[in-house]
Amino acid sequence: MTYAIAQAAEHSGLSIDTLRYYERIGLVDPPARDAAGRRLYTDGDLAWLEFLTKLRTTGMPIRLMREYAQLRRKGEATAGRRKQILLEHRADVRRRIAELKACLEVLDFKIDNYAAIEAGLTGKTHVQEVSA
Amino acid sequence: MTYAIAQAAEHSGLSIDTLRYYERIGLVDPPARDAAGRRLYTDGDLAWLEFLTKLRTTGMPIRLMREYAQLRRKGEATAGRRKQILLEHRADVRRRIAELKACLEVLDFKIDNYAAIEAGLTGKTHVQEVSA
DNA sequence: GTAGGAGCTGGAGCGCACTCCAGGTCAAGT
DNA sequence: ACTTGACCTGGAGTGCGCTCCAGCTCCTAC
């Protein structure tokens, strides 16, 4: 089973332009072409794109994704380094989740404070002070 | 108590250039100046900067922070709209945390798979297929 | 046989959020 | 008096990750 670029775009959630861009910069291997020179993506390509979008969603910079992609191309001997990249990235993601959660608490606090203002406690100085 | 720009930078974790930039684009009110024209930040300014960095950390785009800052300047009448902005932003942050957690599971899976390869199961086709 | 639509290429352009720079002022220390 | 260093301004430059465009080739449907 193969897929035209529009289908690959739809499946991956990336734009057609982005797919070609990823190819240009070496994030994805150049796919096969049909007789007319049009790209034919395989299921394997789609799986790789799906994984790439996970990395992107979690904020991995493109140059690191590229390093990973290059290692992958070189085969199994690079598995150790690839694992290491993922381990570091996972730690990074965990840190960022923790950071976001901490910020959420501040948001909750602010929102509660606005609710307090709405509840007619506006006159209370400490509420105003905090209302930012 | 007032603070020179270098102190405000250190306290907020933003660079001096970024502080001036935030002022230019209307994210922070122009602070008072000393006789020589140097900025003097107040505790209130630092608190606002601290909150801004939370918004930034959670990915709020600058133009929305700016809208919030402008509303804040207009006083209490805008509290409703400000609360609404924060509510929407909180929902957004929660969505992104959930998304990150989902991606973490994929990372865990990949990492486990590399561990399996290391454990010498390399010959097993399904391990290789999945190793990406 | 022709109109429409998907895809192709190389390259330019964009929005965001800073970051850096030149050239200047000012105040304090030695 | 002079050096040092923090700070000032306006404006240009940067890196990232796309996104858009002109001008082209194909295939398909009518």
Side-chain angles (χ1 to χ4, degrees), chain A residues 86-97:
Chain A
L86 294 189
L87 281 170
E88 280 166 20
H89 183 58
R90 181 172 67 178
D92 209 71
V93 175
R94 284 178 175 160
R95 263 192 300 279
R96 291 215 325 286
I97 288 174

Side-chain angles (χ1 to χ4, degrees), chain B residues 3 19 23 28-34 38-42 45:
Chain B
Y3 308 88
L19 287 177
E23 185 182 330
V28 307
D29 293 329
R33 303 289 183 120
D34 70 7
R38 280 170 292 187
R39 290 168 179 80
L40 292 177
Y41 292 87
T42 65
D45 292 332

Side-chain angles (χ1 to χ4, degrees), chain A residues 68 76 90 108 114 122 128, chain B residues 68 76 90 108 114 122:
Chain A
Y68 188 90
E76 240 185 73
R90 181 172 67 178
D108 288 341
Y114 279 120
T122 323
Q128 286 190 336
Chain B
Y68 188 90
E76 241 185 73
R90 181 172 66 181
D108 288 341
Y114 279 120
T122 321

Side-chain angles (χ1 to χ4, degrees), chain A residues 7 13 21 24 34 46 50 55 66 69 91 94 115 118 122 132:
Chain A
Q7 295 172 305
Y21 166 67
R24 270 211 302 282
D34 70 9
L46 295 195
E50 197 172 330
L55 295 181
R66 207 153 96 189
R94 284 178 175 160
E118 276 169 17
T122 323

Side-chain angles (χ1 to χ4, degrees), chain A:
Chain A
M1 189 58 186
T2 60
Y3 308 87
I5 194 166
Q7 295 172 305
E10 178 158 20
H11 183 275
S12 64
L14 298 166
S15 75
I16 290 176
D17 272 318
T18 299
L19 287 177
R20 289 195 281 239
Y21 166 67
Y22 279 7
E23 185 182 332
R24 270 211 302 282
I25 65 173
L27 268 190
V28 306
D29 292 330
R33 303 289 184 121
D34 70 9
R38 279 169 292 186
R39 289 167 180 80
L40 293 177
Y41 291 88
T42 65
D43 288 300
D45 291 332
L46 295 195
W48 172 238
L49 283 171
E50 197 172 330
F51 182 56
L52 277 184
T53 62
K54 304 291 185 218
L55 295 181
R56 186 190 65 161
T57 296
T58 49
M60 182 182 283
I62 279 193
R63 65 166 196 294
L64 198 50
M65 289 196 246
R66 207 153 96 189
E67 187 184 338
Y68 188 90
Q70 275 159 11
L71 290 168
R72 181 169 167 271
R73 235 168 263 132
K74 288 192 197 149
E76 240 185 73
T78 67
R81 173 74 184 122
R82 278 182 277 155
K83 183 186 176 195
Q84 193 196 332
I85 288 174
L86 294 189
L87 281 170
E88 280 166 20
H89 183 58
R90 181 172 67 178
D92 209 71
V93 175
R94 284 178 175 160
R95 263 192 300 279
R96 291 215 325 286
I97 288 174
E99 195 177 45
L100 288 180
K101 283 182 174 172
C103 289
L104 261 191
E105 288 178 23
V106 175
L107 281 176
D108 288 341
F109 180 77
K110 284 281 185 187
I111 288 167
D112 288 350
N113 193 59
Y114 279 120
I117 290 174
E118 276 169 17
L121 302 168
T122 323
K124 293 200 174 177
T125 314
H126 75 278
V127 171
Q128 286 190 336
E129 268 172 3
V130 126
S131 75

